[in-house]
Amino acid sequence: MERCVVKVRRVRGGDQNLPCYMTVHAAGMDLCADLGDDLVLNPGERKLVPTGLAIALPDGFEAQVRPRSGLALKHGIALVNSPGTIDPDYRGEIGVILINHGSEPFVVRRGERIAQMVFAPFARAELVEVDELDETARGEGGFGHTGR
């Protein structure tokens, strides 16, 4: 398992817990809402929820912000852009764009776990323009080409 050291800064100070892994084998750290007041997310509504954290990733790593399955199953809460990508040169506050796909209003409270953050190495591609691509058995088949 590859490890990376991530520097973290509390944007507004405070005593909120830093993200942590909830189990020994968890891939993601839970991100919590950093709110002054409760935030109501009505059905069909989306809002940017602050986490109160900014990070500095090592070069060659990204942080992916992903939904929490429990919120999705129990309340229909998802992320609009999933996964969201935090680049290694971004130093601003991490925000999570939540959307309520459920049928009832959902209340987000300070300290509530709203998303998870997974760290991953990435490669930068060098694009080479060509006139033709090599052939494969799949070819141009996509979007349901296998019949399921």
Side-chain angles (χ1 to χ4, degrees):
M1 172 183 349
E2 191 167 357
R3 297 191 184 271
C4 69
V5 175
V6 178
K7 296 176 183 175
V8 61
R9 180 177 68 86
R10 295 175 202 266
V11 174
R12 288 175 283 286
D15 59 354
Q16 190 163 324
N17 292 333
L18 293 178
C20 65
Y21 296 104
M22 298 304 285
T23 66
V24 174
H25 298 288
M29 295 180 160
D30 287 333
L31 287 171
C32 297
D34 185 28
L35 300 166
D37 297 316
D38 290 352
L39 182 147
V40 177
L41 197 59
N42 291 306
E45 191 174 30
R46 65 184 177 271
K47 290 186 180 174
L48 180 64
V49 181
T51 64
L53 301 174
I55 60 175
L57 294 162
D59 194 28
F61 280 85
E62 67 165 325
Q64 299 173 5
V65 179
R66 302 178 180 182
R68 294 194 63 238
S69 58
L71 288 180
L73 177 63
K74 295 175 187 172
H75 306 285
I77 302 301
L79 274 60
V80 175
N81 62 324
S82 178
T85 297
I86 302 169
D87 295 309
D89 58 349
Y90 178 66
R91 295 296 183 269
E93 180 176 7
I94 298 169
V96 178
I97 307 170
L98 294 181
I99 187 166
N100 184 351
H101 289 299
S103 57
E104 301 291 327
F106 180 76
V107 179
V108 181
R109 294 180 170 80
R110 176 176 172 75
E112 182 162 5
R113 296 180 297 154
I114 56 169
Q116 57 183 327
M117 183 167 54
V118 174
F119 301 94
F122 66 86
R124 289 185 52 103
E126 177 183 338
L127 299 180
V128 178
E129 188 172 0
V130 297
D131 291 328
E132 293 185 31
L133 300 175
D134 58 311
E135 295 291 326
T136 67
R138 179 176 178 172
E140 294 182 16
F143 297 109
H145 79 282
T146 62
R148 288 195 61 99

mmCIF file of all heavy atoms in Angstrom, residues 42-69:
data_model
loop_
_atom_site.group_PDB
_atom_site.id
_atom_site.type_symbol
_atom_site.label_atom_id
_atom_site.label_comp_id
_atom_site.label_asym_id
_atom_site.label_seq_id
_atom_site.Cartn_x
_atom_site.Cartn_y
_atom_site.Cartn_z
ATOM 1 N N ASN A 42 -33.449 20.656 0.745
ATOM 2 C CA ASN A 42 -34.776 20.192 0.330
ATOM 3 C C ASN A 42 -34.660 19.232 -0.842
ATOM 4 O O ASN A 42 -33.658 19.226 -1.554
ATOM 5 C CB ASN A 42 -35.658 21.388 -0.043
ATOM 6 C CG ASN A 42 -36.016 22.208 1.168
ATOM 7 O OD1 ASN A 42 -36.541 21.680 2.142
ATOM 8 N ND2 ASN A 42 -35.725 23.496 1.129
ATOM 9 N N PRO A 43 -35.679 18.398 -1.082
ATOM 10 C CA PRO A 43 -35.646 17.474 -2.219
ATOM 11 C C PRO A 43 -35.347 18.209 -3.527
ATOM 12 O O PRO A 43 -35.910 19.272 -3.799
ATOM 13 C CB PRO A 43 -37.055 16.871 -2.222
ATOM 14 C CG PRO A 43 -37.484 16.936 -0.796
ATOM 15 C CD PRO A 43 -36.898 18.226 -0.284
ATOM 16 N N GLY A 44 -34.415 17.677 -4.303
ATOM 17 C CA GLY A 44 -34.021 18.272 -5.574
ATOM 18 C C GLY A 44 -33.028 19.412 -5.454
ATOM 19 O O GLY A 44 -32.521 19.904 -6.463
ATOM 20 N N GLU A 45 -32.727 19.837 -4.242
ATOM 21 C CA GLU A 45 -31.848 20.988 -4.026
ATOM 22 C C GLU A 45 -30.391 20.533 -3.871
ATOM 23 O O GLU A 45 -30.114 19.460 -3.363
ATOM 24 C CB GLU A 45 -32.310 21.716 -2.768
ATOM 25 C CG GLU A 45 -31.674 23.054 -2.541
ATOM 26 C CD GLU A 45 -32.294 23.793 -1.352
ATOM 27 O OE1 GLU A 45 -32.756 23.133 -0.395
ATOM 28 O OE2 GLU A 45 -32.307 25.026 -1.398
ATOM 29 N N ARG A 46 -29.474 21.401 -4.299
ATOM 30 C CA ARG A 46 -28.050 21.148 -4.115
ATOM 31 C C ARG A 46 -27.412 22.371 -3.468
ATOM 32 O O ARG A 46 -27.798 23.502 -3.746
ATOM 33 C CB ARG A 46 -27.368 20.803 -5.436
ATOM 34 C CG ARG A 46 -27.362 21.913 -6.435
ATOM 35 C CD ARG A 46 -26.746 21.476 -7.765
ATOM 36 N NE ARG A 46 -26.809 22.540 -8.722
ATOM 37 C CZ ARG A 46 -27.824 22.768 -9.555
ATOM 38 N NH1 ARG A 46 -28.873 21.975 -9.526
ATOM 39 N NH2 ARG A 46 -27.801 23.783 -10.389
ATOM 40 N N LYS A 47 -26.433 22.122 -2.615
ATOM 41 C CA LYS A 47 -25.719 23.204 -1.944
ATOM 42 C C LYS A 47 -24.271 22.808 -1.718
ATOM 43 O O LYS A 47 -23.941 21.634 -1.545
ATOM 44 C CB LYS A 47 -26.369 23.521 -0.593
ATOM 45 C CG LYS A 47 -27.729 24.168 -0.708
ATOM 46 C CD LYS A 47 -28.267 24.585 0.649
ATOM 47 C CE LYS A 47 -29.644 25.232 0.486
ATOM 48 N NZ LYS A 47 -30.256 25.524 1.793
ATOM 49 N N LEU A 48 -23.417 23.834 -1.697
ATOM 50 C CA LEU A 48 -22.011 23.640 -1.385
ATOM 51 C C LEU A 48 -21.856 23.661 0.136
ATOM 52 O O LEU A 48 -22.222 24.641 0.789
ATOM 53 C CB LEU A 48 -21.171 24.752 -2.022
ATOM 54 C CG LEU A 48 -19.674 24.679 -1.780
ATOM 55 C CD1 LEU A 48 -19.067 23.424 -2.399
ATOM 56 C CD2 LEU A 48 -18.997 25.925 -2.339
ATOM 57 N N VAL A 49 -21.307 22.581 0.677
ATOM 58 C CA VAL A 49 -21.129 22.456 2.125
ATOM 59 C C VAL A 49 -19.640 22.567 2.436
ATOM 60 O O VAL A 49 -18.835 21.778 1.942
ATOM 61 C CB VAL A 49 -21.692 21.117 2.642
ATOM 62 C CG1 VAL A 49 -21.522 21.002 4.149
ATOM 63 C CG2 VAL A 49 -23.166 20.967 2.249
ATOM 64 N N PRO A 50 -19.258 23.538 3.261
ATOM 65 C CA PRO A 50 -17.845 23.693 3.597
ATOM 66 C C PRO A 50 -17.373 22.626 4.580
ATOM 67 O O PRO A 50 -18.160 22.130 5.395
ATOM 68 C CB PRO A 50 -17.794 25.080 4.243
ATOM 69 C CG PRO A 50 -19.158 25.287 4.804
ATOM 70 C CD PRO A 50 -20.106 24.555 3.902
ATOM 71 N N THR A 51 -16.095 22.273 4.477
ATOM 72 C CA THR A 51 -15.515 21.310 5.420
ATOM 73 C C THR A 51 -14.597 21.982 6.433
ATOM 74 O O THR A 51 -14.204 21.363 7.413
ATOM 75 C CB THR A 51 -14.693 20.238 4.677
ATOM 76 O OG1 THR A 51 -13.579 20.872 4.031
ATOM 77 C CG2 THR A 51 -15.553 19.489 3.668
ATOM 78 N N GLY A 52 -14.217 23.236 6.156
ATOM 79 C CA GLY A 52 -13.314 23.929 7.068
ATOM 80 C C GLY A 52 -11.867 23.499 6.932
ATOM 81 O O GLY A 52 -11.028 23.887 7.745
ATOM 82 N N LEU A 53 -11.558 22.717 5.893
ATOM 83 C CA LEU A 53 -10.209 22.190 5.734
ATOM 84 C C LEU A 53 -9.622 22.553 4.375
ATOM 85 O O LEU A 53 -10.328 22.600 3.374
ATOM 86 C CB LEU A 53 -10.217 20.665 5.854
ATOM 87 C CG LEU A 53 -10.751 20.081 7.149
ATOM 88 C CD1 LEU A 53 -10.818 18.566 7.049
ATOM 89 C CD2 LEU A 53 -9.906 20.513 8.333
ATOM 90 N N ALA A 54 -8.328 22.776 4.369
ATOM 91 C CA ALA A 54 -7.546 22.927 3.143
ATOM 92 C C ALA A 54 -6.378 21.963 3.262
ATOM 93 O O ALA A 54 -5.893 21.704 4.376
ATOM 94 C CB ALA A 54 -7.052 24.365 2.978
ATOM 95 N N ILE A 55 -5.938 21.407 2.133
ATOM 96 C CA ILE A 55 -4.855 20.428 2.177
ATOM 97 C C ILE A 55 -3.776 20.770 1.164
ATOM 98 O O ILE A 55 -4.006 21.501 0.209
ATOM 99 C CB ILE A 55 -5.363 18.991 1.922
ATOM 100 C CG1 ILE A 55 -6.038 18.861 0.557
ATOM 101 C CG2 ILE A 55 -6.292 18.536 3.035
ATOM 102 C CD1 ILE A 55 -6.451 17.449 0.183
ATOM 103 N N ALA A 56 -2.593 20.215 1.404
ATOM 104 C CA ALA A 56 -1.476 20.293 0.461
ATOM 105 C C ALA A 56 -1.052 18.859 0.171
ATOM 106 O O ALA A 56 -0.517 18.168 1.042
ATOM 107 C CB ALA A 56 -0.316 21.093 1.039
ATOM 108 N N LEU A 57 -1.339 18.425 -1.044
ATOM 109 C CA LEU A 57 -0.994 17.067 -1.461
ATOM 110 C C LEU A 57 0.402 17.040 -2.069
ATOM 111 O O LEU A 57 0.822 18.017 -2.690
ATOM 112 C CB LEU A 57 -1.982 16.587 -2.532
ATOM 113 C CG LEU A 57 -3.417 16.394 -2.091
ATOM 114 C CD1 LEU A 57 -4.347 16.351 -3.290
ATOM 115 C CD2 LEU A 57 -3.535 15.110 -1.294
ATOM 116 N N PRO A 58 1.094 15.911 -1.951
ATOM 117 C CA PRO A 58 2.376 15.803 -2.654
ATOM 118 C C PRO A 58 2.135 15.711 -4.152
ATOM 119 O O PRO A 58 1.074 15.252 -4.602
ATOM 120 C CB PRO A 58 2.981 14.512 -2.103
ATOM 121 C CG PRO A 58 1.873 13.756 -1.481
ATOM 122 C CD PRO A 58 0.795 14.737 -1.136
ATOM 123 N N ASP A 59 3.110 16.166 -4.934
ATOM 124 C CA ASP A 59 2.996 16.111 -6.385
ATOM 125 C C ASP A 59 2.778 14.660 -6.812
ATOM 126 O O ASP A 59 3.379 13.740 -6.259
ATOM 127 C CB ASP A 59 4.257 16.673 -7.038
ATOM 128 C CG ASP A 59 4.055 16.946 -8.511
ATOM 129 O OD1 ASP A 59 2.908 17.213 -8.927
ATOM 130 O OD2 ASP A 59 5.047 16.876 -9.266
ATOM 131 N N GLY A 60 1.886 14.459 -7.776
ATOM 132 C CA GLY A 60 1.605 13.121 -8.267
ATOM 133 C C GLY A 60 0.444 12.437 -7.554
ATOM 134 O O GLY A 60 0.108 11.303 -7.865
ATOM 135 N N PHE A 61 -0.193 13.141 -6.598
ATOM 136 C CA PHE A 61 -1.350 12.589 -5.891
ATOM 137 C C PHE A 61 -2.545 13.514 -6.047
ATOM 138 O O PHE A 61 -2.394 14.726 -6.143
ATOM 139 C CB PHE A 61 -1.061 12.424 -4.390
ATOM 140 C CG PHE A 61 -0.276 11.193 -4.075
ATOM 141 C CD1 PHE A 61 1.099 11.204 -4.157
ATOM 142 C CD2 PHE A 61 -0.909 10.019 -3.694
ATOM 143 C CE1 PHE A 61 1.844 10.069 -3.871
ATOM 144 C CE2 PHE A 61 -0.184 8.883 -3.399
ATOM 145 C CZ PHE A 61 1.206 8.904 -3.487
ATOM 146 N N GLU A 62 -3.724 12.921 -6.073
ATOM 147 C CA GLU A 62 -4.984 13.654 -6.046
ATOM 148 C C GLU A 62 -5.776 13.160 -4.851
ATOM 149 O O GLU A 62 -5.525 12.074 -4.325
ATOM 150 C CB GLU A 62 -5.797 13.417 -7.323
ATOM 151 C CG GLU A 62 -6.290 11.986 -7.431
ATOM 152 C CD GLU A 62 -7.373 11.768 -8.461
ATOM 153 O OE1 GLU A 62 -8.214 12.669 -8.659
ATOM 154 O OE2 GLU A 62 -7.396 10.681 -9.047
ATOM 155 N N ALA A 63 -6.743 13.954 -4.428
ATOM 156 C CA ALA A 63 -7.727 13.504 -3.441
ATOM 157 C C ALA A 63 -9.067 13.447 -4.164
ATOM 158 O O ALA A 63 -9.447 14.396 -4.850
ATOM 159 C CB ALA A 63 -7.790 14.455 -2.255
ATOM 160 N N GLN A 64 -9.752 12.329 -4.045
ATOM 161 C CA GLN A 64 -11.064 12.161 -4.652
ATOM 162 C C GLN A 64 -12.119 12.287 -3.558
ATOM 163 O O GLN A 64 -12.029 11.614 -2.534
ATOM 164 C CB GLN A 64 -11.182 10.799 -5.324
ATOM 165 C CG GLN A 64 -10.190 10.587 -6.427
ATOM 166 C CD GLN A 64 -10.222 9.172 -6.968
ATOM 167 O OE1 GLN A 64 -11.045 8.354 -6.584
ATOM 168 N NE2 GLN A 64 -9.306 8.873 -7.871
ATOM 169 N N VAL A 65 -13.108 13.144 -3.780
ATOM 170 C CA VAL A 65 -14.203 13.320 -2.831
ATOM 171 C C VAL A 65 -15.384 12.511 -3.359
ATOM 172 O O VAL A 65 -15.845 12.733 -4.482
ATOM 173 C CB VAL A 65 -14.569 14.810 -2.657
ATOM 174 C CG1 VAL A 65 -15.719 14.975 -1.685
ATOM 175 C CG2 VAL A 65 -13.342 15.585 -2.181
ATOM 176 N N ARG A 66 -15.847 11.579 -2.546
ATOM 177 C CA ARG A 66 -16.875 10.625 -2.958
ATOM 178 C C ARG A 66 -18.046 10.638 -1.986
ATOM 179 O O ARG A 66 -17.901 11.009 -0.832
ATOM 180 C CB ARG A 66 -16.285 9.216 -2.992
ATOM 181 C CG ARG A 66 -15.100 9.077 -3.922
ATOM 182 C CD ARG A 66 -14.558 7.684 -3.847
ATOM 183 N NE ARG A 66 -13.405 7.504 -4.729
ATOM 184 C CZ ARG A 66 -12.772 6.361 -4.866
ATOM 185 N NH1 ARG A 66 -13.160 5.299 -4.188
ATOM 186 N NH2 ARG A 66 -11.737 6.277 -5.674
ATOM 187 N N PRO A 67 -19.214 10.164 -2.455
ATOM 188 C CA PRO A 67 -20.382 10.122 -1.565
ATOM 189 C C PRO A 67 -20.231 9.052 -0.487
ATOM 190 O O PRO A 67 -19.430 8.128 -0.626
ATOM 191 C CB PRO A 67 -21.549 9.784 -2.498
ATOM 192 C CG PRO A 67 -20.949 9.310 -3.765
ATOM 193 C CD PRO A 67 -19.526 9.737 -3.814
ATOM 194 N N ARG A 68 -21.015 9.187 0.550
ATOM 195 C CA ARG A 68 -21.108 8.166 1.592
ATOM 196 C C ARG A 68 -22.321 7.297 1.282
ATOM 197 O O ARG A 68 -23.431 7.797 1.108
ATOM 198 C CB ARG A 68 -21.244 8.810 2.967
ATOM 199 C CG ARG A 68 -19.987 9.582 3.363
ATOM 200 C CD ARG A 68 -19.959 9.943 4.834
ATOM 201 N NE ARG A 68 -19.934 8.729 5.626
ATOM 202 C CZ ARG A 68 -20.856 8.426 6.551
ATOM 203 N NH1 ARG A 68 -21.863 9.236 6.793
ATOM 204 N NH2 ARG A 68 -20.765 7.311 7.242
ATOM 205 N N SER A 69 -22.112 6.001 1.232
ATOM 206 C CA SER A 69 -23.181 5.084 0.819
ATOM 207 C C SER A 69 -24.361 5.098 1.780
ATOM 208 O O SER A 69 -25.510 4.969 1.354
ATOM 209 C CB SER A 69 -22.639 3.660 0.661
ATOM 210 O OG SER A 69 -22.060 3.205 1.873
#
